[in-house]
Amino acid sequence: MTKSDPSGARLGRLNTAHGAVDTPVFIPVGTAATVKGLPQAALEALGVQILLANTYHLYLRPGHELIRRMGGLHRFMSWKNAILTDSGGYQVFSLADLRKMTDEGVRFRSHLDGSEHLLTPEKAAEIQLALGSDIAMVLDECIETPAPRAAAEEALRRTTEWARRSRRYCQEYASRNGEIAQLQFGIVQGATFADLRRESAQQLVDLHFAGYAVGGLAVGEPHELTCEMTSEVTALLPNDRPRYLMGVGKPEDLADYVSRGIDMMDCVLPTRAARHGCLYTSQGRVLIRNVRYAEDPRPIDENCTCEVCARYSRAYLRHLYLAGELLSAILNTHHNVRFYAELMRRIREAIAAGKLVQFAGALREQLVGAPA
Amino acid sequence: MTKSDPSGARLGRLNTAHGAVDTPVFIPVGTAATVKGLPQAALEALGVQILLANTYHLYLRPGHELIRRMGGLHRFMSWKNAILTDSGGYQVFSLADLRKMTDEGVRFRSHLDGSEHLLTPEKAAEIQLALGSDIAMVLDECIETPAPRAAAEEALRRTTEWARRSRRYCQEYASRNGEIAQLQFGIVQGATFADLRRESAQQLVDLHFAGYAVGGLAVGEPHELTCEMTSEVTALLPNDRPRYLMGVGKPEDLADYVSRGIDMMDCVLPTRAARHGCLYTSQGRVLIRNVRYAEDPRPIDENCTCEVCARYSRAYLRHLYLAGELLSAILNTHHNVRFYAELMRRIREAIAAGKLVQFAGALREQLVGAPA
């Protein structure tokens, strides 16, 4: 960390085998080895230093062994900057009826062809080593929220045990094959119980991961509770390791998480919302299908300097959306990814100036019109 | 025309209100004011000097009056180069059960909402003036092929009468509103009857259009017959006016049409085929879903210098296609549009060297493995 803000926010640089990542960073999601609608050159032009790819999807299609044979995920998708892969667990847990959990791992059926698979902590690590991502996540147990305490305790126990097995797998792999450039991150669970969150954090810290994620939050609980749980965890994590809050978030919430000591975040929101015609602007959301934009010659956001705002009107973007044109998803995604990237740049600036808390408050007011 | 080849091919430059177009040219289709999958900046980078937009689609959505109020189609879609609009007739005729033809025009129901509309020669001209395209096509009657002679004669009579009404509409419009920058093209019909084709061409030439199109060909008849009919027509057209063969064609056929005196062509083939995973290469078609490409590290076309071939493997493009990813359509379309643009550049080079016939033969052999 090169600088920290009075709030607890940190300015840093995360070094990976594929370049440095300036933190705090928002990581665009490229589920199937592509950020839906954005060519790699566009991501580079937007200054994106790290992408997330989904292990579950790539394991099923085209298969991690194919990607390994093609020289790894970076070469396969022609992306020279950093890549973070999740463990596949979150997607598998989302399959609901299609999966069964034991201490060994999760048995599940593919959503593509119904074939049966077993995902274990070791398997999740193996797949990610085959993909060759720069940052790999351990398999953890995600539970539904709100969770009864007993379920949260059980998931915590399993998460720690799986983290231990994941760590061991990579250490043994390294002793057989030489040092691994991949950074392995543990994932703190514990639902919304502060003591369980602390217990989980402590147990993971003892395993000496390269970084630590906070999982199972922002899944429906109030924003303030997400922030509280985050603070409980980050307070216990070593200062010299990156902290990653998984699956967040809305633009107005990002600075809050950063002020709780978070360095990395990811979410499908900017890309998925774009495809549904929801555009983020300095004045809040624009739902581009709205008839009020039918003849609006203005750009999406008059304060935005992205290529889309420099060239296209709301009227044209509305037309593309209503006509179901590919260009709608392309342009909307470009704008939203750029909006998030620019927001993170301003957050880093605010930390450097020691003014993140003021920035976070002003941001929320600007985006949603009122304090949280 | 600046140069003509022994074959009858012509090298030229078509001046429009939005820049010059080097001919012979292949015009990418941008049905709803967008070439599906390609941002305008990408089209510019590919050197595209002219696009086609469909009057039928834009009339129904977002509506030509809206586009007029937004400053015309160029401003609406942010495209500074030339635009050609069709008359809407071809789409309306394709509606089959949804339309009814009289000498007045075509009554049809929208494929979007079932609303009833009447397209007349005057209305087609009015819509295209509202769109502000650089080149407007007159409404003609397209008939199914093979057509009985009586039907072809009747369609020819109506086509000429409609061409006359279209011409008159624009002349009267100009006398009320001042000179029109838009170039109006007549469309030669006559099915596959050489004498009717000649009769149609002569009748249109007498109306003094800015350019002449050949319609109703390449709709199922043998390629050689398409070429013969084309030659019958171009032989009668004034040398100083552009000739446009509508709705063609396959890469291996383009040079043949040019050798018959054609200057302009358009077709959805490169863009539509791209979305279906059919890629054009210097060695013929590549169907990217084929399992033989699953681990193929080579570019689509080793002789291609486009951005897609410079960066991505067949293996990755196959993965994107099978996963139904947006990037599949984006990259495939980029490659195919570039392939057509490069092919036209080489055709123009061959004309300049006086070697188009040899080029056309070699091209066909290279692309489909045998002479036609």
Side-chain angles (χ1 to χ4, degrees):
Chain A
M1 294 305 119
T2 57
K3 165 113 187 174
S4 67
D5 180 86
S7 70
R10 302 129 50 89
L11 203 59
R13 174 162 287 190
L14 170 60
N15 291 309
T16 79
H18 289 86
V21 177
D22 293 308
T23 62
V25 65
F26 178 86
I27 311 175
V29 176
T31 298
T34 164
V35 175
K36 296 185 191 307
L38 277 188
Q40 277 71 319
L43 291 163
E44 288 166 358
L46 289 171
V48 173
Q49 296 173 314
I50 181 168
L51 291 182
L52 182 147
N54 286 117
T55 288
Y56 169 81
H57 291 88
L58 295 174
Y59 163 72
L60 291 179
R61 183 174 59 195
H64 62 295
E65 290 296 352
L66 183 148
I67 292 178
R68 188 207 301 271
R69 288 191 297 272
M70 297 305 295
L73 189 51
H74 290 84
R75 181 176 293 185
F76 180 64
M77 67 180 288
S78 184
W79 177 250
K80 66 176 173 27
N81 297 337
I83 298 174
L84 181 150
T85 44
D86 63 2
S87 68
Y90 186 81
Q91 273 79 26
V92 168
F93 294 118
S94 307
L95 293 174
D97 291 350
L98 296 175
R99 49 98 175 157
K100 183 165 177 263
M101 174 108 51
T102 63
D103 276 350
E104 184 190 11
V106 203
R107 198 168 290 280
F108 67 96
R109 288 190 179 278
S110 158
H111 74 287
L112 294 177
D113 63 6
S115 56
E116 195 174 296
H117 303 263
L118 174 65
L119 186 65
T120 62
E122 293 80 8
K123 184 77 184 177
E126 177 202 332
I127 297 169
Q128 293 176 82
L129 283 167
L131 297 176
S133 53
D134 300 287
I135 300 175
M137 307 303 299
V138 299
L139 186 66
D140 60 336
E141 181 175 352
C142 315
I143 54 174
E144 284 179 17
T145 187
R149 183 164 177 106
E153 283 175 352
E154 174 64 7
L156 170 52
R157 178 191 65 76
R158 197 173 262 157
T159 290
T160 300
E161 176 53 26
W162 285 1
R164 193 170 287 123
R165 283 164 57 188
S166 305
R167 197 84 200 89
R168 192 184 312 130
Y169 182 89
C170 283
Q171 283 161 347
E172 289 175 5
Y173 182 96
S175 71
R176 284 195 313 275
N177 301 282
E179 207 187 334
I180 304 173
Q182 191 178 62
L183 306 172
Q184 193 178 37
F185 279 31
I187 305 177
V188 174
Q189 290 289 350
T192 48
F193 303 97
D195 61 323
L196 297 187
R197 285 279 168 190
R198 288 193 296 268
E199 186 183 334
S200 178
Q202 197 51 62
Q203 290 173 350
L204 292 176
V205 168
D206 292 344
L207 293 171
H208 302 288
F209 282 100
Y212 298 88
V214 185
L217 286 181
V219 287
E221 79 281 2
H223 175 63
E224 198 42 54
L225 189 54
T226 314
C227 289
E228 272 174 44
M229 290 298 120
T230 302
S231 291
E232 290 288 349
V233 172
T234 54
L236 299 178
L237 296 177
N239 263 320
D240 62 346
R241 298 294 148 115
R243 298 93 171 262
Y244 166 28
L245 182 58
M246 302 180 81
V248 297
K250 294 185 225 162
E252 60 269 25
D253 294 341
L254 299 184
D256 292 340
Y257 301 136
V258 168
S259 74
R260 306 299 177 129
I262 289 299
D263 307 307
M264 304 161 64
M265 298 171 281
D266 81 284
C267 196
V268 294
L269 193 57
T271 44
R272 182 174 290 167
R275 298 197 300 281
H276 290 98
C278 172
L279 297 161
Y280 295 105
T281 81
S282 57
Q283 310 300 311
R285 290 166 180 72
V286 163
L287 296 177
I288 200 66
R289 67 175 168 276
N290 198 307
V291 70
R292 86 176 66 156
Y293 305 125
E295 303 194 18
D296 191 336
R298 292 175 298 167
I300 303 167
D301 184 350
E302 287 179 307
N303 298 316
C304 178
T305 56
C306 86
E307 287 173 21
V308 179
C309 288
R311 180 153 199 168
Y312 300 106
S313 67
R314 295 176 179 186
Y316 182 61
L317 294 170
R318 177 176 190 265
H319 163 67
L320 293 177
Y321 181 79
L322 293 181
E325 284 289 340
L326 284 167
L327 193 56
S328 173
I330 296 170
L331 298 180
N332 291 355
T333 303
H334 189 104
H335 171 83
N336 275 1
V337 169
R338 156 72 191 237
F339 180 84
Y340 268 65
E342 181 65 11
L343 180 54
M344 293 310 299
R345 193 191 61 72
R346 290 169 61 211
I347 286 176
R348 291 194 297 272
E349 254 181 28
I351 300 172
K355 294 184 176 169
L356 184 67
V357 172
Q358 299 90 310
F359 177 85
L363 178 71
R364 180 173 297 279
E365 191 144 359
Q366 205 179 4
L367 295 184
V368 298
Chain B
M1 295 304 118
T2 58
K3 166 111 187 176
S4 67
D5 179 88
S7 70
R10 302 130 49 89
L11 203 59
R13 174 162 289 189
L14 170 60
N15 292 309
T16 79
H18 289 85
V21 177
D22 294 308
T23 61
V25 66
F26 178 85
I27 311 175
V29 175
T31 298
T34 162
V35 175
K36 296 185 191 307
L38 277 188
Q40 276 73 320
L43 291 163
E44 288 165 357
L46 289 170
V48 172
Q49 296 173 316
I50 181 168
L51 291 182
L52 181 148
N54 287 117
T55 288
Y56 169 80
H57 291 87
L58 295 174
Y59 163 72
L60 291 180
R61 182 173 59 195
H64 62 295
E65 290 297 351
L66 183 148
I67 291 179
R68 189 206 301 270
R69 288 190 297 271
M70 297 306 295
L73 189 51
H74 290 86
R75 181 176 293 186
F76 181 64
M77 67 181 288
S78 184
W79 177 251
K80 66 176 173 24
N81 298 337
I83 298 175
L84 180 151
T85 45
D86 63 3
S87 68
Y90 187 81
Q91 273 78 26
V92 168
F93 293 119
S94 307
L95 294 174
D97 291 351
L98 297 175
R99 49 98 177 156
K100 182 165 179 266
M101 174 109 51
T102 64
D103 275 350
E104 185 189 11
V106 203
R107 200 167 289 280
F108 67 97
R109 288 190 181 279
S110 159
H111 74 287
L112 295 177
D113 64 5
S115 57
E116 195 174 298
H117 303 264
L118 175 65
L119 186 66
T120 63
E122 293 80 7
K123 184 76 184 177
E126 178 203 332
I127 296 169
Q128 293 177 83
L129 283 167
L131 297 175
S133 53
D134 300 287
I135 300 175
M137 306 304 299
V138 298
L139 186 67
D140 60 337
E141 180 175 353
C142 314
I143 54 173
E144 285 179 18
T145 187
R149 184 167 175 105
E153 284 175 349
E154 173 65 6
L156 169 53
R157 178 191 65 75
R158 198 173 263 157
T159 289
T160 300
E161 176 54 27
W162 285 1
R164 194 170 287 124
R165 282 164 57 186
S166 305
R167 197 85 200 88
R168 191 183 312 131
Y169 182 89
C170 283
Q171 283 161 347
E172 288 176 5
Y173 182 96
S175 71
R176 284 196 311 276
N177 301 283
E179 207 185 336
I180 304 173
Q182 191 178 61
L183 305 172
Q184 193 179 36
F185 279 32
I187 305 178
V188 175
Q189 290 290 352
T192 49
F193 302 98
D195 61 320
L196 296 187
R197 284 281 169 188
R198 288 193 297 268
E199 186 183 334
S200 178
Q202 197 51 62
Q203 289 173 352
L204 291 176
V205 168
D206 292 344
L207 293 172
H208 302 288
F209 282 100
Y212 298 89
V214 185
L217 286 181
V219 286
E221 78 283 2
H223 175 63
E224 198 41 54
L225 189 55
T226 314
C227 289
E228 273 176 44
M229 290 298 120
T230 301
S231 291
E232 290 287 350
V233 172
T234 54
L236 297 178
L237 296 177
N239 264 321
D240 63 346
R241 298 294 148 114
R243 299 92 172 262
Y244 165 29
L245 182 58
M246 302 180 81
V248 296
K250 294 184 225 163
E252 60 268 27
D253 294 341
L254 299 184
D256 293 340
Y257 300 137
V258 168
S259 75
R260 305 299 177 129
I262 290 297
D263 307 307
M264 305 161 65
M265 297 171 283
D266 81 283
C267 196
V268 294
L269 193 57
T271 44
R272 182 174 292 169
R275 298 195 302 280
H276 290 97
C278 173
L279 297 162
Y280 295 105
T281 82
S282 57
Q283 310 300 310
R285 290 166 180 73
V286 163
L287 297 177
I288 200 66
R289 68 174 169 276
N290 197 307
V291 70
R292 85 177 66 158
Y293 305 125
E295 304 194 18
D296 192 336
R298 292 175 298 168
I300 302 167
D301 184 349
E302 288 179 303
N303 298 316
C304 178
T305 57
C306 86
E307 285 173 23
V308 179
C309 288
R311 179 153 201 169
Y312 300 106
S313 67
R314 294 176 180 187
Y316 181 62
L317 294 170
R318 177 177 190 265
H319 163 66
L320 293 177
Y321 180 78
L322 293 180
E325 284 290 342
L326 284 168
L327 192 57
S328 173
I330 296 170
L331 298 180
N332 291 355
T333 303
H334 188 105
H335 171 82
N336 275 0
V337 169
R338 156 74 190 235
F339 181 85
Y340 268 66
E342 181 65 11
L343 180 55
M344 295 310 299
R345 193 191 61 72
R346 289 168 62 211
I347 286 175
R348 291 194 296 271
E349 252 179 31
I351 300 172
K355 293 182 176 171
L356 184 67
V357 172
Q358 298 91 308
F359 177 85
L363 178 72
R364 180 173 297 279
E365 191 144 359
Q366 207 181 4
L367 296 184
V368 298

